[in-house]
Amino acid sequence: MPTDIFIKRSGSLEVQHRTLETLDLAALQKELDKAFGAGSLYLEDENEPLSPGRHIDAPTIFVHHSHCKRIEVTVRYAGRNFEHKFGPGTTLKTIKRRTEKRLDIDAADAAELSLQIAGTNDRPDEATHVGSVADPTTCSVVFDLIPSDRING
């Protein structure tokens, strides 16, 4: 059974797609290391690197290639900070949910909030891997949790 692989990487919002008849993580790792420098592969929303011999039986997988083992994330909200280290393949949706829980943000309020990269107007999609928006030299990123844009119609 072929596997569709969506590959994300450090410091880039570009997504590469491949369809492989046989999933060979070791070969994929070697290819990505050659193209982008030494790193590790992380399955989406997992904190530990994929072992080359791991068997994955899924028609579609999302992986992240990164030299950063962990991304140091700070989320600022209403004068409080949530700080945690995540695997580079962790989605912003997961980070937002963890922040809401840790800072005890009401569900109704949380529905109206989104992550914005501090010092910018960039609000990446919740499916974005944190490693894609983190500074690859420091393996860190700071977000502000702010009200989402409202469209009145």
Side-chain angles (χ1 to χ4, degrees):
M1 170 177 75
T3 303
D4 283 311
I5 302 174
F6 293 89
I7 304 161
K8 300 177 183 186
R9 63 187 175 88
S10 291
S12 174
L13 294 175
E14 177 186 335
V15 179
Q16 295 182 7
H17 172 254
R18 302 221 175 93
T19 300
L20 300 177
E21 288 301 319
T22 304
L23 180 59
D24 181 345
L25 292 173
L28 180 61
Q29 171 82 47
K30 188 174 182 177
E31 176 187 335
L32 294 173
D33 284 352
K34 185 176 181 182
F36 305 115
S40 298
L41 280 179
Y42 294 81
L43 199 57
E44 186 170 85
D45 281 329
E46 288 191 4
N47 283 323
E48 297 304 319
L50 281 167
S51 65
R54 181 169 169 185
H55 176 73
I56 300 173
D57 187 23
T60 304
I61 64 170
F62 295 84
V63 297
H64 191 93
H65 181 264
S66 178
H67 74 275
C68 297
K69 303 291 184 203
R70 293 281 183 271
I71 304 297
E72 190 171 324
V73 175
T74 301
V75 180
R76 305 182 301 200
Y77 174 74
R80 299 178 291 162
N81 290 346
F82 167 64
E83 297 176 350
H84 191 77
K85 292 182 181 179
F86 291 93
T90 303
T91 61
L92 298 188
K93 181 179 184 175
T94 297
I95 292 170
K96 182 177 178 277
R97 284 187 175 163
R98 179 90 54 94
T99 301
E100 293 163 356
K101 185 175 181 175
R102 190 67 54 92
L103 297 181
D104 197 28
I105 300 171
D106 179 78
D109 292 336
E112 301 292 324
L113 299 172
S114 60
L115 291 171
Q116 179 172 298
I117 299 171
T120 74
N121 292 320
D122 296 338
R123 295 184 191 181
D125 184 86
E126 286 188 336
T128 301
H129 291 172
V130 70
S132 295
V133 295
D135 181 332
T137 59
T138 63
C139 300
S140 65
V141 64
V142 177
F143 294 103
D144 292 316
L145 191 58
I146 61 171
S148 301
D149 289 332
R150 292 184 182 169
I151 299 173
N152 296 322

